[in-house]
Amino acid sequence: MSMNTHCTLPNVAKSAPSAAEDSAKDQAQDQAPALIDPFGRKITYVRVSVTDRCDFRCVYCMSEDMEFLPKRDLLSLEELNRLCGAFIARGTRKLRITGGEPLVRRNIMSLFRNLSRHLATGALEELTLTTNGSQLALYAQELADCGVRRVNVSLDTRDPEKFRAITKRGDLDQVLAGIDAAQKAGLSVKLNMVGLKGVNDDEIIPMMIWAHERGMDLTMIEVMPLGSVETERLDQYLPLDAVRARIAERFTLRDLADRTGGPARYVKIEETGGRLGFITPLSHNFCESCNRVRVTCTGTLYMCLGQEDAADLRAPLRNSPTDELLNAALDEAIGRKPKGHDFVIDRTHRDPAVPRHMSVTGG
Ligand code: SAM
Ligand code: SF4
């Protein structure tokens, strides 16, 4: 299967020679049963990590001596396209492309161009991206042309020096230019900010005001114990309950029911008119409504971000040109989706809950 070379919705499916083949296969798979886990949760949201590499080394995400996967272990972009198609045929309505840093994977836009055909047919409701923003200025318009409507950009501080200290490599201006380009291209931008005790706690309210002035939502994330990093997790962990209480001293928070298919709980800030989300895996477990799974760039399926159990999808993908083996592997894996994670950070739990870093599974 070759990759499409251009993309402007809704002509994608008609313009490329391989698209007819893809589309026939998509239709043939339309009848495949939905993926439903043992707790009755329908899997409609898949996060695909397209690379474990990144141009940053955020202190809470990666260690300085990360070992990256050899290229031969990675699924090709064509394989990722096929894998995503198989999930969509089984009821996935929302795909989030993540990493590592997804926009540093070579030729990544060809995957977006190919996946956009599922938006054109209506099989897929949403194709989104989580990025550190460093390459966003280059790709924002093309992403919009491929039907991407929303992007999540990670931004933990607007102080250039602090930004460099947190990301170890990043240039704040480049990320801000990426955010500008995304908004100019008509993409709706949500900021993700990991709360870090003693590092950016004083910036949360200013970040929220800035984001809301620019029409962006802000989601705060609690640091999760994934993989070993140089800093003690307990030293980084900022419980968001306290943050919320602090914001409530100055602003009026109104709980919102909408969950955007994710684990964030949102409030509307009456004074700014903007939305603020909280992802609080530690202080409030969000597993009961989990509709998602994660696939790594090697085709390993994690049924839960916080558990080690996984299933290999690369072998069934590579061992047969049709999707029977893959579908059987999906059924088997989803049948093992656990009820939830067991994250704890306290003095008796200093080790990571799971040894893999967030950059492997995709955030
Ligand atoms: N590189 C992209 C980015 O930074 O947005 C995408 C991948 S990154 C792993 C996805 C999200 O996970 C980011 O918002 C990042 O801040 C968050 N993240 C990484 N490690 C984390 C951890 N240990 N706990 C909580 N959030 C984490
Ligand atoms: Fe890279 Fe994103 Fe992890 Fe930061 S959070 S090191 S940008 S993958």
Side-chain angles (χ1 to χ4, degrees):
M1 192 188 305
S2 66
M3 303 296 272
N4 294 334
T5 51
H6 58 275
C7 160
T8 303
L9 286 179
N11 296 325
V12 213
K14 295 181 196 107
S15 57
S18 65
E21 262 175 59
D22 283 346
S23 160
K25 198 168 152 214
D26 295 344
Q27 273 169 19
Q29 290 181 331
D30 271 353
Q31 307 309 319
L35 293 168
I36 298 178
D37 81 359
F39 304 96
R41 298 171 298 191
K42 192 172 168 191
I43 307 307
T44 55
Y45 183 179
V46 179
R47 292 188 169 214
V48 183
S49 172
V50 295
T51 177
D52 62 332
R53 292 169 194 252
C54 186
D55 49 344
F56 293 0
R57 294 286 182 280
C58 301
V59 288
Y60 49 78
C61 177
M62 291 195 180
S63 63
E64 264 299 344
D65 56 351
M66 292 294 287
E67 276 184 31
F68 295 110
L69 293 160
K71 295 232 165 64
R72 64 175 180 278
D73 287 356
L74 263 55
L75 294 186
S76 68
L77 292 172
E78 288 81 359
E79 287 170 328
L80 283 166
N81 176 41
R82 189 178 145 208
L83 188 58
C84 290
F87 271 107
I88 292 165
R90 303 292 306 270
T92 292
R93 301 286 291 148
K94 182 167 169 180
L95 263 186
R96 177 172 296 281
I97 305 300
T98 178
E101 175 45 40
L103 296 182
V104 301
R105 175 137 186 195
R106 192 183 312 168
N107 205 18
I108 187 62
M109 291 314 293
S110 67
L111 179 65
F112 281 96
R113 287 193 288 273
N114 264 297
L115 292 175
S116 66
R117 76 182 186 280
H118 299 290
L119 294 169
T121 62
L124 188 64
E125 210 171 284
E126 193 171 39
L127 176 61
T128 56
L129 165 76
T130 301
T131 175
N132 65 23
S134 69
Q135 312 299 311
L136 198 50
L138 287 177
Y139 294 121
Q141 187 56 56
E142 209 175 343
L143 287 164
D145 291 344
C146 287
V148 173
R149 295 286 161 256
R150 299 193 300 146
V151 293
N152 288 1
V153 181
S154 301
L155 186 65
D156 301 323
T157 174
R158 285 172 59 232
D159 174 317
E161 278 169 30
K162 243 192 245 179
F163 187 83
R164 171 67 67 159
I166 293 172
T167 63
K168 308 246 187 89
R169 313 267 197 282
D171 174 14
L172 178 65
D173 284 342
Q174 215 173 315
V175 173
L176 295 178
I179 293 174
D180 286 344
Q183 292 199 298
K184 197 159 161 237
L187 298 172
S188 148
V189 177
K190 179 164 78 67
L191 298 183
N192 282 342
M193 178 178 185
V194 174
L196 296 167
K197 189 165 68 182
V199 177
N200 65 1
D201 18 15
D202 58 331
E203 279 195 75
I204 296 172
I205 289 178
M207 182 76 89
M208 179 187 85
I209 294 171
W210 178 74
H212 290 177
E213 277 170 1
R214 297 186 49 142
M216 301 184 287
D217 289 343
L218 171 67
T219 297
M220 296 299 308
I221 305 178
E222 273 175 0
V223 79
M224 293 174 233
L226 302 173
S228 292
V229 291
E230 278 81 17
T231 324
E232 276 267 1
R233 291 287 179 197
L234 193 58
D235 294 341
Q236 298 180 324
Y237 175 48
L238 177 68
L240 293 182
D241 282 2
V243 170
R244 186 184 161 129
R246 195 148 41 85
I247 296 173
E249 288 168 10
R250 280 183 53 191
F251 295 89
T252 318
L253 278 55
R254 184 159 57 81
D255 282 317
L256 295 173
D258 44 324
R259 299 284 295 261
T260 64
R265 287 157 210 269
Y266 282 97
V267 294
K268 183 173 177 197
I269 307 291
E270 296 294 358
E271 288 80 359
T272 62
R275 295 196 322 159
L276 176 66
F278 297 95
I279 299 186
T280 53
L282 289 119
S283 53
H284 286 290
N285 187 315
F286 47 58
C287 301
E288 77 280 357
S289 57
C290 180
N291 60 351
R292 66 189 50 200
V293 292
R294 293 172 162 86
V295 188
T296 70
C297 55
T298 56
T300 303
L301 175 70
Y302 284 99
M303 287 73 84
C304 173
L305 176 66
Q307 302 279 359
E308 287 213 63
D309 191 23
D312 174 35
L313 300 180
R314 186 176 57 185
L317 191 70
R318 288 188 175 166
N319 289 346
S320 166
T322 61
D323 288 346
E324 282 86 21
L325 291 180
L326 186 56
N327 276 320
L330 283 176
D331 285 327
E332 202 271 325
I334 300 303
R336 300 202 311 260
K337 184 168 162 62
K339 200 167 182 190
H341 68 70
D342 309 307
F343 292 153
V344 185
I345 296 181
D346 64 21
R347 296 197 180 282
T348 56
H349 295 81
R350 286 169 180 266
D351 293 333
V354 291
R356 63 182 190 281
H357 292 88
M358 185 77 131
S359 54
V360 173
T361 332

Coordinates of all heavy atoms in Angstrom, one line a residue, residues 53-58 60-62 99-101 132 154 359, ligand 2:
R53 N 11.0 8.7 19.9 CA 12.1 9.7 19.9 C 11.5 11.1 20.1 O 10.3 11.3 19.9 CB 12.9 9.7 18.6 CG 13.7 8.4 18.5 CD 14.3 8.3 17.1 NE 14.7 6.9 17.0 CZ 16.0 6.5 17.0 NH1 17.0 7.4 17.1 NH2 16.4 5.2 17.0
C54 N 12.3 12.0 20.6 CA 11.8 13.3 20.8 C 13.0 14.3 20.8 O 14.1 13.9 21.1 CB 11.2 13.4 22.2 SG 10.4 15.0 22.5
D55 N 12.7 15.5 20.4 CA 13.7 16.6 20.4 C 13.9 17.2 21.7 O 14.8 18.0 22.0 CB 13.5 17.6 19.3 CG 12.0 18.1 19.3 OD1 11.2 17.5 19.9 OD2 11.8 19.2 18.6
F56 N 13.0 16.9 22.7 CA 13.1 17.4 24.1 C 13.4 16.3 25.0 O 13.3 15.1 24.6 CB 11.8 18.0 24.5 CG 11.3 19.3 23.8 CD1 12.1 19.9 22.8 CD2 10.2 20.0 24.2 CE1 11.7 21.0 22.2 CE2 9.8 21.1 23.6 CZ 10.5 21.7 22.5
R57 N 13.7 16.6 26.2 CA 13.9 15.6 27.3 C 13.3 16.1 28.6 O 14.0 16.4 29.5 CB 15.4 15.4 27.6 CG 16.3 14.8 26.5 CD 16.0 13.3 26.3 NE 16.8 12.8 25.2 CZ 16.6 12.9 23.9 NH1 15.5 13.5 23.5 NH2 17.4 12.3 23.0
C58 N 12.0 16.3 28.5 CA 11.3 16.9 29.7 C 11.6 16.1 31.0 O 11.6 14.8 30.9 CB 9.8 16.9 29.4 SG 9.4 17.9 28.0
Y60 N 10.2 15.3 33.6 CA 9.2 14.3 34.2 C 8.9 13.1 33.3 O 8.3 12.2 33.6 CB 7.9 15.0 34.6 CG 7.4 15.9 33.4 CD1 6.7 15.3 32.4 CD2 7.6 17.2 33.4 CE1 6.2 16.1 31.3 CE2 7.1 18.0 32.4 CZ 6.5 17.4 31.3 OH 6.0 18.2 30.3
C61 N 9.4 13.3 32.0 CA 9.0 12.3 31.0 C 10.1 11.3 30.6 O 9.9 10.1 30.6 CB 8.5 13.0 29.7 SG 8.1 12.0 28.3
M62 N 11.3 11.9 30.4 CA 12.4 11.1 29.9 C 13.6 11.2 30.9 O 13.8 12.3 31.5 CB 12.9 11.5 28.5 CG 11.9 11.2 27.4 SD 12.7 11.4 25.9 CE 11.4 11.0 24.7
G99 N 3.5 10.6 20.7 CA 4.8 10.0 20.7 C 5.3 9.9 22.1 O 4.5 9.8 23.1
G100 N 6.6 10.0 22.2 CA 7.6 10.8 21.7 C 7.0 12.0 21.0 O 5.9 12.4 21.3
E101 N 7.8 12.6 20.2 CA 7.3 13.8 19.5 C 6.9 13.4 18.1 O 7.7 13.1 17.2 CB 8.4 14.9 19.4 CG 8.0 16.1 18.6 CD 6.5 16.6 18.9 OE1 6.1 16.6 20.1 OE2 5.8 16.9 17.9
N132 N 4.8 18.7 21.2 CA 5.5 19.6 22.0 C 5.5 21.0 21.3 O 6.0 22.0 21.8 CB 6.9 19.2 22.4 CG 7.8 19.0 21.3 OD1 7.6 19.6 20.2 ND2 8.8 18.1 21.5
S154 N 1.9 20.8 24.4 CA 2.4 20.8 25.8 C 3.2 22.1 26.1 O 4.1 22.4 25.4 CB 3.2 19.6 26.0 OG 2.5 18.4 25.7
S359 N 6.8 8.6 27.1 CA 7.2 8.8 25.7 C 7.1 7.5 24.9 O 7.1 7.5 23.7 CB 8.6 9.3 25.6 OG 9.5 8.5 26.3
Ligands
SF4_2 FE1 9.3 14.7 24.5 FE2 6.7 15.1 25.0 FE3 8.2 13.6 26.6 FE4 8.6 16.2 26.6 S1 6.7 15.2 27.2 S2 10.2 14.6 26.5 S3 8.2 16.7 24.5 S4 7.7 13.1 24.5

